[in-house]
Amino acid sequence: CIWLAALWTLIRRFTEGLGAVSGMNDAAPWGLWIGADVFAGVALAAGGFVIAATVHIFRIERFKPILRPTILTAFLGYMLVAVALFIDIGRPLSWWHPLVMWQHHSIMFEVTWCVILYSTVLAIETSPPVLERLGLTRLLRIVQITTIPVVIAGVILSTMHQSSLGSLYLIVPEKLYPLWYSPLLPVFFLISAVAAGMCVVIVESFFSAKILNHGLESMLMRDLGRAAGIILFIYLAMKIADLAARGSLGMVFEGSLQSRLFLLEMVGCVALPAILLTIRKVRLLPRWLLGASLLVMAGIVLNRINVSWFGMSVGDHLHYIPTWMEIALSLAFITGGTVVFLLAVHYLPIFPKAPDEPAEIHR
C-alpha cells in the first residue's frame, strides 16, 4: 500500500507539479522531503565515513567486520537522498546545471558537488563485494590499491557537506528561530551527524543480527555507543555555551512550540541517550544500547526538521503542514532502502563468514 501510494504521488508530482502533492508554499519552500529525507538522511549515513576512516586511516582493524554493511547502508542512504532531491526540486530536469554552471560563492553549489563526489566514493567503496561476486579479480585489485586515497577523499567530502548543510541557514538569521540559529550551525550539523552515524551502525547491526541470524559484534557496538555518548555530551555542552553566549538561553523555557520542541530534542534525544551510552551497565545490555541509539536517530531527524520546518515558523503558527502523499513517499524510501539492503546482503558477501560457515552461504 505504501509503495502504491508513493507511485501515485510520483505520477502526480511529475504531471501536475509539487503543489499538487505537497503542502509547501512560498513561505515554506522546503518541507518533509528536504528536512527528513535529505538533511536527516545525509546525517544518518555519516557512519560510512566514520567507520571507513576508523578502519583504513586509523588502522583500528577490529572494526573491519562491520565495515561493509556500514558502507552499504551509507551508499543506499545517499542514493535515496539523491532521489528525494530529484523529486523535491522545482525543475528536476535541470539537475545537471551545477555540473556545468559553476557558482563558486554558493553553498548549494558546494553541497551539490560534495554529494555527487561522495556518492561516487561510496560507490567505489561498495564495489568490492560486487566484484568478488562476479569474479572480477583484476578490477578488485585496482579498487583495493586505491582504497586509502578514496577513503581520505570520502572523509574530506563528507565532512565538507555535512557541515555545509548547516551553512545553508546562516543566511537567514532573522528567520530561523534563535534556539537553532547560530554561527556554529555547520559545526553542530557535523558533530551531531557523527554521533548519529555511529548509532545507525549499532541499530543496523542489531537488526541484521536478528533478521539474518548472524552474530552481533557486541564489543564493537559497546565501543561505538561509548564514543557516541561522549560526542553527544560535547555537542550538548557546545549548544548550551552557544545559547548562553548569544543571550538566548532564557528562550528554552518560554513555553512556545519551538521551546517545547527544543527541549524534547535536547533532553530526550541528546542528554538522555548521552547519559545512557556512557553507563557501562547500559551498554552491556543490547536492548538498552539499541534503545539509546534509536533515541539519537530520532533526535537527528527531529533536529533537522526543527531547523528546516518548525524553526522557520513564527510563534505557534505553521506555514507548512505535510500532506499524506509526502509522508507516504518518505515511508516508501525507508522500506525501499531496507528491501535493497536485505537483497544485497543475501546475494553479496557483505558480512564476514563465521569460521564454520560454508563458502556458499552468501550465494
Side-chain angles (χ1 to χ4, degrees), residues 39 107-108 110-112 114 157-170 185-187 189-190:
F39 284 179
I107 291 293
M108 285 296 292
E110 189 266 349
V111 169
T112 300
C114 280
L157 291 167
S158 190
T159 301
M160 289 172 62
H161 79 260
Q162 291 284 358
S163 58
S164 294
L165 289 175
S167 301
L168 290 173
Y169 287 90
L170 294 180
L185 261 177
V187 179
F189 265 54
L190 175 61

Side-chain angles (χ1 to χ4, degrees), residues 166-227:
S167 301
L168 290 173
Y169 287 90
L170 294 180
I171 63 174
V172 288
E174 294 84 14
K175 191 172 183 180
L176 182 58
Y177 207 73
L179 288 175
W180 291 287
Y181 179 83
S182 168
L184 294 177
L185 261 177
V187 179
F188 290 150
F189 265 54
L190 175 61
I191 295 176
S192 60
V194 171
M198 292 180 176
C199 290
V200 169
V201 176
I202 295 173
V203 172
E204 176 266 316
S205 298
F206 182 88
F207 284 110
S208 294
K210 289 291 184 182
I211 297 172
L212 303 173
N213 197 29
H214 65 79
L216 178 66
E217 299 287 347
S218 300
M219 185 60 70
L220 299 184
M221 298 306 104
R222 295 167 195 161
D223 291 345
L224 283 177
R226 181 173 181 272

